[in-house]
Amino acid sequence: MDMYTFLESELAKHVKFYAQKLRETKSSLRHLRMRRNTERVRFSVHLHDGWSDEKEVTIRSRPSLEKAMKAATASYRKINNRSDVQARCTVTAFVPAPGGSARINLPRSMWGQYFDEYSKAPPPKPPRGGSPFRD
């Protein structure tokens, strides 16, 4: 196969792929406009730490973005044995439609308040057996 034939074949595949994605996106937009709400939108929260060997977490959730973020940060703390979350976060919304779903990367302005709230270390628990300041 020569270069021209190869490139022509690859570009034809790209056209077919993106035509399908465009149909799915248009379908998702129509359905979102018909419903006028985001109840069926699924969210994917991905927490990853690029500079160390901590484990990554990806949580996919339908109920709400806040619940997805809460679950992801709790899972990240648990599997990495941490009290806080020091990781990069990416959030994706999947808008459903009969022919598939459109994938939208959400900006931090849409999810940052949840990440800030749930990534902090919880306050320390008081010691058992009463006050440590006894005589």
Side-chain angles (χ1 to χ4, degrees):
M1 177 181 300
D2 66 343
M3 182 62 74
Y4 175 84
T5 306
F6 173 77
L7 292 174
E8 182 183 39
S9 170
E10 289 301 306
L11 289 173
K13 290 176 190 175
H14 281 75
V15 167
K16 186 175 179 180
F17 173 80
Y18 287 114
Q20 174 64 29
K21 290 297 177 189
L22 182 57
R23 282 192 297 277
E24 290 172 3
T25 302
K26 286 180 177 180
S27 179
S28 292
L29 179 59
R30 268 194 313 277
H31 286 292
L32 181 67
R33 287 177 173 164
M34 284 184 345
R35 289 192 178 86
R36 307 292 294 172
N37 66 48
T38 59
E39 291 174 358
R40 297 202 44 182
V41 174
R42 291 176 299 137
F43 298 99
S44 173
V45 177
H46 182 73
L47 300 173
H48 51 98
D49 186 3
W51 53 270
S52 85
D53 59 350
E54 292 185 345
K55 295 176 181 75
E56 296 182 1
V57 169
T58 300
I59 297 290
R60 291 179 177 83
S61 173
R62 175 168 288 161
S64 74
L65 176 54
E66 182 178 9
K67 289 180 182 178
M69 185 63 72
K70 186 175 183 179
T73 54
S75 180
Y76 186 91
R77 282 195 301 271
K78 183 177 180 180
I79 67 168
N80 289 303
N81 196 24
R82 295 189 60 96
S83 62
D84 64 345
V85 176
Q86 295 182 5
R88 292 187 201 132
C89 182
T90 55
V91 179
T92 306
F94 294 89
V95 182
S101 64
R103 177 183 175 164
I104 309 293
N105 293 324
L106 299 181
R108 191 178 202 296
S109 61
M110 300 295 290
W111 51 263
Q113 71 273 21
Y114 304 128
F115 181 76
D116 293 344
E117 179 180 348
Y118 295 120
S119 64
K120 296 177 188 169
K125 295 179 181 177
R128 291 185 181 177
S131 172
F133 302 108
R134 290 168 139 164
D135 291 296

